Amino acid sequence: MKNFIMFLTLSRIIFGPLIFVLSVFFEMYLVSLTLFVLSAISDFFDGYLARKFNHESSFGKLLDPIADKILLCSTVKAIILITSDYFIGLIGVLTLIREFWVSGLREYTAINQIQATSDVSNLAKVKTTLQFIAIGSYFYSFNGGYSLGIFLSSFIFFLSLLVSLKTSINYTSNALKSK
């Protein structure tokens, strides 16, 4: 089971760049969507299974957020390039800046032994869900050539950005209050 859990995490590290290549260079949006959905499912199950079967490890805790960032960076960059849209580009850049900010903040809280201030919140889970829905919706819309789908995907992506900014403010505030 431990190897399977690690496989789920590693799959996101592999699938992120693969999705980028397949969608940007080969316009294989349905394959990209399928790999992304599998990655999103693996994101849920690797943590769930690790906790359920008591196979949590320091390496797994380190690798999981890295895998998440690789998947997110790869897919957001692909969407920005495919759409060539400045608004989507802005949302994407701000989303990625938030992800790196929160990663740095988690490093800060770990160094200062105040990790509880940056534990994943329920609102952050909502953010991730909105991001996954938006990204999946983009690939679905690219595959079908659905302009309305791309517009709705952009709206959901924007909502995820608002939630992202709120969670980063919360994490930052909690970390600064604790120090």
Side-chain angles (χ1 to χ4, degrees):
M1 181 57 69
K2 193 173 190 176
N3 290 336
F4 179 68
I5 293 167
M6 189 57 67
F7 168 78
L8 291 176
T9 303
L10 292 173
S11 70
R12 290 197 310 284
I13 292 172
I14 294 166
F15 285 172
L18 183 59
I19 291 167
F20 178 87
V21 169
L22 292 174
S23 60
V24 172
F25 294 107
F26 299 103
E27 297 180 2
M28 297 177 71
Y29 304 126
L30 189 57
V31 175
S32 296
L33 172 63
T34 303
L35 292 176
F36 181 75
V37 168
L38 290 173
S39 297
I41 292 168
S42 79
D43 184 37
F44 169 77
F45 276 110
D46 63 358
Y48 173 78
L49 293 173
R51 286 184 296 277
K52 180 174 177 156
F53 293 103
N54 200 27
H55 287 304
E56 292 179 289
S57 68
S58 297
F59 186 63
K61 287 180 182 180
L62 169 74
L63 206 54
D64 184 66
I66 292 170
D68 294 345
K69 302 300 180 272
I70 290 171
L71 179 64
L72 184 67
C73 287
S74 299
T75 55
V76 167
K77 183 62 177 168
I79 290 164
I80 291 168
L81 290 173
I82 292 164
T83 61
S84 298
D85 184 286
Y86 294 128
F87 180 69
I88 295 169
L90 178 63
I91 295 170
V93 166
L94 292 174
T95 297
L96 297 179
I97 288 169
R98 180 268 182 207
E99 294 298 323
F100 288 106
W101 172 260
V102 171
S103 292
L105 195 60
R106 288 201 170 110
E107 181 68 24
Y108 168 81
T109 61
I111 290 169
N112 290 287
Q113 299 176 346
I114 52 172
Q115 293 96 322
T117 63
S118 64
D119 286 347
V120 176
S121 68
N122 287 331
L123 192 57
K125 292 177 183 181
V126 169
K127 178 248 345 160
T128 301
T129 302
L130 287 171
Q131 287 175 338
F132 284 177
I133 291 169
I135 293 167
S137 179
Y138 273 120
F139 287 122
Y140 177 79
S141 299
F142 295 154
N143 184 61
Y146 305 129
S147 297
L148 179 59
I150 293 169
F151 174 79
L152 293 174
S153 302
S154 298
F155 180 74
I156 297 167
F157 195 29
F158 180 71
L159 288 177
S160 77
L161 173 64
L162 295 177
V163 175
S164 292
L165 295 175
K166 173 65 174 143
T167 59
S168 66
I169 291 168
N170 291 350
Y171 289 143
T172 303
S173 175
N174 291 340
L176 294 177
K177 285 179 189 174
S178 295
K179 189 61 185 154

